[in-house]
Amino acid sequence: MTAPATTGTPAAPVRRPSASLGLVRTVLRLHRPALYAGAGLFAVLTGLLLWLHGPAMDAAATAWRQYDHCQEAACAYDQDSLLVYKSFSQYATIAVTCVPFLVAAWAGASLFGRELETGTARLSWSQSVSPARWLAVKLALPAALVTAGTSVLVLLHQRTWRRSQTRIDTAKDWTDALTFHANGPTTVALALFGLAAGALTGLALRRSLAALALSVLCTAAVGLGTGLALPHLWPTVRTVTDLHHNGPTGVGITVDEGLLTSTGGHLADPHCGSDLSTPCRELYAKLRAVGFYRDSHPYSHYWPLQWVAAGIVLALAALAVLTAFRLLTRQVGAAPKEARR
């Protein structure tokens, strides 16, 4: 008689730690100084914007009310509060618009350039992490932090600017170039482009200093190009006035202006003034001008312009990321095989 056969219990599979999670911890550990510096900058700018939104603006608004109610040449008002608010609001606006360039410099020099220059990247690739996964994690994690941090700063800046429009007489108008971008998603989009540019230049140059310079230069070029193209990204509104005015009229961002002729043509504004003066009337008659025109963007076009410009910058960022992945594949070839147990 034979003993019944027994079936062995299969061993439970051993769970190996995720390579991506390990890489996330490695990225955070390697770039801890930059993380601390970024958190410190975020805290300082957040505090500054909250102060401008609250106590500083209240003090400046009170000073403006005092000044507006002055009836005498010598009048007492809190001039220091006005000057402090004006200066620090400008500093805050400049700081928010400079965030994309700081991101580009860090990404090109430290996040990618230095790791490729020192060989840290290849060490990661030898630890069961494919180059593609390495690049994806090093882009995704900073992108999430950059998007969240920059979005908060932009929202705070916009809320502060909105509150200042009815309270501070010298507050910047929405057409001011720095204010325009500091209030909207173009700054967030440009920060993400700076990150993508840093990845691409770091992979291409493999030198931290050169990658820093080139990534900042690329980000500046895209920012400048976007600013130049922005007035042409949305249809304008035309304001036509007669020649009794001193020139073209209209509000917002001016795209084009000049004289309208009787044949429907457009001429440059000679800046003569109203046709109520004899020389100007004779000049306009010679030019066959019938009125002034101005093509411009009113405030209602602010968000369409912002979103179209931000979409273009994000498309360029996606193109830079795609190019970085293709360049990495060409440089290192296939992903390394996982180490055997």
Side-chain angles (χ1 to χ4, degrees), residues 101 189-190 193-194 197 216-229 309 312-314 316-317:
F101 304 101
L190 192 61
F193 176 83
V216 172
L217 183 62
C218 290
T219 305
V222 169
L224 179 61
T226 302
L228 293 175
I312 292 173
V313 175
L314 288 176
L316 293 174

Side-chain angles (χ1 to χ4, degrees), residues 279-290:
C280 291
R281 185 165 57 251
E282 293 175 351
L283 174 63
Y284 294 147
K286 186 184 300 183
L287 296 174
R288 297 182 179 180
V290 296

